[in-house]
Amino acid sequence: MHHAISTELAAGAAGVVLGLALVGSGFLLLAASALRRRLRGRREVADREARQQLDELLSAAGERPVRLTETPSLGVPIALGVMRREICLPRRVLSSLGERERRALLAHELAHHARRDPAWLLLARLAETVGSLQPFNRFARRRLVELSEWLADARAVRWTGDPEGLAR
């Protein structure tokens, strides 16, 4: 009888964990869908200087090509994609930043791709979702995000040689 109770408890606990993982996966899919909607109207950046800056950074860093897009629906720049790499900028960024600041911003976003941050952050989000009962998963993902920003800044400064441009 004791064995039957522990088997039932184990099955119940597994059911709870699975249920939480499914609910978390649903929220993750909703967030991904909302991001896709916000990015739906994006278009290739027409600004030749921005494209040239990115091409120079790609060449200097030895990185493979990255699509450069813009949209009015984003508040901050974002490095997207694992297989098809993309940097998407808020439309206002191109007109509001000077050449040095824009170069530093592009270097920062490119550094995220060079470090494969979009893939790592996706894996961290999935681990947090599937292992929702483990509170350290959320802490670890947040810390990974924080560290990825610091490390992208450091790499951007190394590539541009312009810490002041990044700071602005």
Side-chain angles (χ1 to χ4, degrees), residues 109-153:
E109 295 305 323
L110 179 59
H112 281 302
H113 281 299
R115 293 179 21 78
R116 293 171 181 62
D117 286 339
W120 286 114
L121 295 175
L122 175 61
L123 285 173
R125 179 67 76 172
L126 290 172
E128 179 185 2
T129 298
V130 171
S132 59
L133 288 180
Q134 172 51 270
F136 291 115
N137 287 337
R138 175 172 280 186
F139 170 78
R141 181 191 54 81
R142 287 180 176 171
R143 184 70 174 142
L144 182 62
V145 169
E146 182 181 319
L147 291 173
S148 73
E149 291 302 323
W150 283 97
L151 292 169
D153 283 348

Side-chain angles (χ1 to χ4, degrees), residues 20-137:
L20 288 171
L22 288 173
V23 168
S25 297
F27 283 118
L28 188 58
L29 289 172
L30 286 173
S33 178
L35 179 60
R36 272 194 300 277
R37 276 194 309 278
R38 291 182 79 187
L39 296 173
R40 192 173 294 148
R42 71 188 186 275
R43 65 175 196 226
E44 296 291 325
V45 167
D47 185 307
R48 284 189 215 152
E49 290 178 25
R51 185 69 240 182
Q52 183 178 356
Q53 284 179 321
L54 181 58
D55 289 342
E56 290 169 2
L57 289 164
L58 286 164
S59 178
E63 285 292 316
R64 60 187 171 95
V66 174
R67 182 178 179 209
L68 184 60
T69 60
E70 65 179 346
T71 181
S73 64
L74 282 181
V76 295
I78 186 170
L80 300 165
V82 175
M83 302 303 286
R84 292 179 290 169
R85 301 169 355 144
E86 177 180 345
I87 295 171
C88 190
L89 305 173
R91 188 163 294 143
R92 64 175 168 64
V93 163
L94 295 173
S95 61
S96 66
L97 293 179
E99 183 179 332
R100 289 174 62 197
E101 292 84 7
R102 184 176 55 221
R103 181 176 174 80
L105 178 137
L106 291 170
H108 173 91
E109 295 305 323
L110 179 59
H112 281 302
H113 281 299
R115 293 179 21 78
R116 293 171 181 62
D117 286 339
W120 286 114
L121 295 175
L122 175 61
L123 285 173
R125 179 67 76 172
L126 290 172
E128 179 185 2
T129 298
V130 171
S132 59
L133 288 180
Q134 172 51 270
F136 291 115
N137 287 337

